[in-house]
Amino acid sequence: MRLKLNTPTSHPCIRWTAVTFLSYPFALVPPYRLHGKVANHVHNNHANSATTAGGISCDSQEHRRTAGGDTIRSSLLLNLPLSPLGASFAGLLLSFQAKEMATDQFIVVTFFASLLGFVLVLFAFLRDTKRRTIKGHHRGDGSAVNVRKEVVQSSVDGDYRPDIWPRADVIIVGAGVAGAALANTLGKEGRQVHVIERDLNEPDRIVGELLQPGGYLKLIELGLEDCVENIDAQRVLGYALFKDGKHTRLSYPLEKFHSDVAGRSFHNGRFIQRMRDKAASLPNVRLEQGTVTSLIEENGTIKGVQYKTKTGQELKAYAPLTIVCDGCFSNLRRSLCEPKVDVPSHFVGLVLENCQLPFSNHGHVILADPSPILFYPISSTEVRCLVDVPGQKLPSIANGEMAAYLKTAVAPQVPPELHDSFVAAVEKGNIRTMPNRSMPAAPHPTPGALLMGDAFNMRHPLTGGGMTVALSDIVVLRNLLNPLHDLNDAASLCKYLESFYTLRKPVAATINTLAGALYKVFSSSPDRARKEMRQACFDYLSLGGVFSTGPISLLSGLNPRPLSLVAHFFAVAIYGVGRLLLPYPSPARLWIGARLISGASAIIFPIIKAEGVRQMFFPATVPAYYRAPHVQ
């Protein structure tokens, strides 16, 4: 057979490189050397091909001149460790290279072609190994699961493993509702997240148990809606309002939403544990038990935190961004904001067992004296009761003053359907208290750090809007951080994140203002104008239609518009004045009406001022509203 090589690839160096590259992978299997008859056979074929390959340009004189060199090359090649297929390729090669390549060309080209082949094979092997490792994390195959178990165990034990955990992109202080949801969100965005929580046991709280429909929509947006499943959470479809033996039902305007959208009420600890477990299941989220004692600051920039593990070991953790979410009792917020905490009242918490609410799947608000009482389901067999007690001082639980107060002053105002269960819960003795704190957001933008959750902003829990605000803030922050791949430029990042404080305002300020205003309106007062305002609010909501759906959509977080809030608030005040002037006005009634308007203004305007008029109503006029991410 005559082989013709008339293409550009017939150059001897190109042919040698190609064949050597193809034969190299087969030489990776256990090698052997060609000796004896095999070597002679290859050499003879090599010599014959030199005289019979008509497609190769050579003459007999050139063949005689280089035959010695070919023999040397044959012996050199045959002494290399080759696999069987490699040897076959080598023999074929010699048949084509008989007269075209000198000894030095042969050695140099062989060396570089072999080196290139080795590098390419090694690169392909490493790439395949990395791809299989990544797939293992997503599929949950054996090796990935073992690594994840080790990671989770190190998180629980508080043992930092630098061989497992890379440097964090974000440190989150606190793993409550805000911290755990934020860890999930940033972890799914691909960030390396280190969460440090004081106590990883299931929390036992009497607040943070009702999630409004607007908050549930944010939960869906963050992909966390499954965290309210399998915890015996109850659907909440609206509120029932009671006053002086009368009642009205206020349903959430959910007609335009999916049938699953509604409020949810549950045990706060179960909900938080579900979010913590989901965060811990992410391979790039490290959940550790420890108490953060201070922020690490260098030249005005927060570099990380100093914390104490549950074993008492003092450690430091560093990250480009530290987010403080350590709750209403935060000891870190003083350096990041101007805290003006107000405690207008306390909640006294009870659990009523095996009782039926007058309106199923509804929260119940009793406009009692001196302040509201709340009832809402937290499981299929339990109803939470929260009694608001105004002032800083509470009756003593230890000496029985609290139980006596609840039986004599509160129980007579409870709806008859709940009276016996309420008294039984008081006698059972599991009475808990919680201060109701209010704190407007007043941040000090600090490079490398951010405040979120109750550590940053609080409102009276009467309306159950805290979790809705926290989840809404997380959505805003996620969208701001999404285009940023590098968080190390602390100064530029701080300036960019100033827009967070503006973008969150319309939703947060609406819910905050409504909570503060409603608490003052719903609380009793000896002042005649305040009494008229309270009655006017109950009657206004009882009108139905837009008069009830408008305010309840604000309360639920479905329509958090500041202008709508102000409009409905003063509509209630004007409605109250109208009631006073009918059927005929009098100077005394006109005076009370004027005081009613003045009182309404005195309630809402200070709250709006504290929240920030410009940020609340005209956020687009704030320069930070248009802040773009820094160039990376």
Side-chain angles (χ1 to χ4, degrees):
M1 179 179 71
R2 298 175 64 86
L3 179 64
K4 295 184 179 182
L5 300 175
N6 297 321
T7 64
T9 58
S10 63
H11 189 279
C13 292
I14 297 176
R15 292 199 310 274
W16 174 251
T17 302
V19 176
T20 303
F21 175 72
L22 289 172
S23 66
Y24 190 84
F26 297 99
L28 296 178
V29 298
Y32 69 90
R33 298 180 182 275
L34 298 178
H35 293 290
K37 294 182 180 180
V38 176
N40 294 331
H41 176 72
V42 172
H43 180 67
N44 292 337
N45 286 344
H46 160 71
N48 293 337
S49 65
T51 59
T52 61
I56 302 176
S57 176
C58 63
D59 53 29
S60 57
Q61 185 177 358
E62 183 181 4
H63 170 66
R64 287 189 300 273
R65 186 169 62 250
T66 60
D70 291 337
T71 303
I72 294 173
R73 281 183 302 209
S74 299
S75 61
L76 287 172
L77 179 64
L78 294 177
N79 283 325
L80 293 174
L82 299 173
S83 67
L85 288 176
S88 301
F89 275 98
L92 179 63
L93 170 68
L94 291 176
S95 68
F96 285 127
Q97 296 297 320
K99 295 303 177 180
E100 283 86 354
M101 186 173 291
T103 302
D104 55 345
Q105 291 175 315
F106 174 86
I107 295 173
V108 171
V109 174
T110 300
F111 173 76
F112 283 107
S114 301
L115 183 62
L116 176 63
F118 176 76
V119 170
L120 291 176
V121 170
L122 182 62
F123 175 76
F125 174 76
L126 293 176
R127 184 179 179 184
D128 182 67
T129 301
K130 182 178 180 181
R131 183 169 60 250
R132 283 187 280 108
T133 301
I134 294 174
K135 286 183 178 179
H137 280 298
H138 293 288
R139 289 194 314 265
D141 60 3
S143 60
V145 168
N146 290 335
V147 170
R148 184 65 204 146
K149 285 181 179 178
E150 190 175 1
V151 167
V152 173
Q153 185 62 40
S154 70
S155 296
V156 173
D157 295 342
D159 181 22
Y160 176 58
R161 293 287 304 278
D163 56 322
I164 295 177
W165 293 104
R167 178 187 169 106
D169 297 316
V170 179
I171 292 173
I172 298 176
V173 181
V177 172
L182 185 61
N184 271 290
T185 302
L186 296 183
K188 288 188 291 188
E189 294 286 312
R191 311 279 184 188
Q192 294 291 337
V193 181
H194 183 186
V195 184
I196 305 173
E197 163 58 34
R198 183 181 58 84
D199 186 0
L200 288 175
N201 294 315
E202 182 176 309
D204 184 14
R205 304 181 65 200
I206 64 171
V207 293
E209 297 174 318
L210 197 150
L211 180 66
Q212 299 288 359
Y216 184 72
L217 288 174
K218 297 299 179 183
L219 207 65
I220 294 174
E221 194 170 347
L222 296 171
L224 298 172
E225 66 275 16
D226 57 336
C227 291
V228 298
E229 298 174 359
N230 303 318
I231 60 172
D232 199 16
Q234 303 298 298
R235 287 168 56 86
V236 178
L237 304 176
Y239 280 89
L241 198 60
F242 292 76
K243 185 179 184 298
D244 299 332
K246 299 179 181 179
H247 61 79
T248 183
R249 185 166 62 172
L250 311 171
S251 297
Y252 294 136
L254 301 173
E255 298 80 10
K256 298 180 181 179
F257 298 95
H258 187 272
S259 59
D260 186 54
V261 176
R264 294 291 192 281
S265 54
F266 38 68
H267 281 273
N268 173 268
R270 297 176 186 174
F271 178 55
I272 288 176
Q273 287 301 96
R274 285 279 290 166
M275 289 200 292
R276 288 177 179 175
D277 292 343
K278 191 164 185 177
S281 69
L282 298 174
N284 51 327
V285 175
R286 177 190 175 202
L287 190 60
E288 181 179 7
Q289 183 166 313
T291 301
V292 175
T293 55
S294 63
L295 301 174
I296 300 173
E297 182 179 349
E298 295 180 9
N299 300 322
T301 299
I302 303 301
K303 297 292 186 179
V305 299
Q306 183 168 339
Y307 67 102
K308 184 181 293 185
T309 66
K310 68 176 183 178
T311 60
Q313 185 180 8
E314 292 277 356
L315 296 177
K316 293 181 179 180
Y318 295 90
L321 181 61
T322 299
I323 303 177
V324 177
C325 310
D326 56 345
C328 60
F329 300 104
S330 173
N331 62 346
L332 302 175
R333 62 175 163 227
R334 289 195 173 276
S335 59
L336 302 176
C337 74
E338 186 178 348
K340 295 180 180 179
V341 180
D342 181 34
V343 184
S345 65
H346 289 72
F347 266 155
V348 178
L350 301 166
V351 174
L352 282 59
E353 298 178 342
N354 300 312
C355 68
Q356 293 294 323
L357 290 167
F359 297 93
S360 60
N361 300 110
H362 281 68
H364 291 60
V365 181
I366 290 86
L367 302 187
D369 184 13
S371 53
I373 305 169
L374 302 180
F375 293 91
Y376 52 87
I378 55 174
S379 74
S380 56
T381 60
E382 297 167 301
V383 171
R384 170 69 71 193
C385 171
L386 295 175
V387 179
D388 186 84
V389 180
Q392 303 288 329
K393 189 176 180 180
L394 285 172
S396 173
I397 297 177
N399 62 16
E401 289 181 2
M402 178 64 76
Y405 171 79
L406 293 174
K407 287 182 180 179
T408 58
V410 178
Q413 303 181 76
V414 171
E417 299 93 330
L418 301 172
H419 181 271
D420 292 343
S421 297
F422 178 83
V423 173
V426 172
E427 292 176 347
K428 188 175 181 181
N430 188 19
I431 302 173
R432 311 265 308 278
T433 63
M434 177 76 180
N436 294 328
R437 295 171 173 243
S438 176
M439 186 184 76
H444 296 315
T446 305
L450 198 69
L451 272 172
M452 292 194 74
D454 284 348
F456 175 46
N457 183 205
M458 293 180 283
R459 77 290 311 149
H460 196 284
L462 173 68
T463 58
M467 289 189 288
T468 301
V469 171
L471 295 171
S472 176
D473 286 353
I474 291 171
V475 171
V476 173
L477 182 62
R478 178 199 64 182
N479 295 339
L480 285 173
L481 293 179
N482 186 264
L484 302 179
H485 301 292
D486 183 11
L487 304 179
N488 285 289
D489 189 347
S492 298
L493 179 63
C494 177
K495 190 173 182 180
Y496 170 57
L497 289 182
E498 285 182 16
S499 60
F500 166 75
Y501 301 117
T502 302
L503 294 172
R504 68 178 292 274
K505 270 296 179 182
V507 174
T510 300
I511 294 175
N512 295 344
T513 304
L514 179 64
L518 271 186
Y519 176 70
K520 291 184 177 180
V521 170
F522 282 176
S523 298
S524 66
S525 171
D527 182 70
R528 174 72 186 278
R530 289 284 298 274
K531 288 182 178 179
E532 289 294 336
M533 184 70 178
R534 190 188 199 199
Q535 187 62 47
C537 186
F538 180 83
D539 292 342
Y540 182 88
L541 294 173
S542 301
L543 294 174
V546 68
F547 305 106
S548 62
T549 57
I552 201 68
S553 65
L554 290 166
L555 184 146
S556 64
L558 297 173
N559 179 32
R561 296 180 182 177
L563 286 174
S564 180
L565 167 63
V566 173
H568 279 288
F569 188 80
F570 280 101
V572 170
I574 294 170
Y575 177 77
V577 173
R579 290 175 63 256
L580 283 170
L581 300 181
L582 293 176
Y584 57 88
S586 69
R589 290 173 178 266
L590 284 172
W591 173 243
I592 294 174
R595 289 179 54 214
L596 193 155
I597 297 292
S598 175
S601 301
I603 287 173
I604 197 168
F605 285 148
I607 302 173
I608 292 175
K609 182 181 178 181
E611 292 291 334
V613 177
R614 187 180 179 188
Q615 292 88 344
M616 185 172 174
F617 293 96
F618 312 105
T621 66
V622 180
Y625 184 84
Y626 302 98
R627 200 102 350 125
H630 58 279
V631 179
Q632 301 183 34

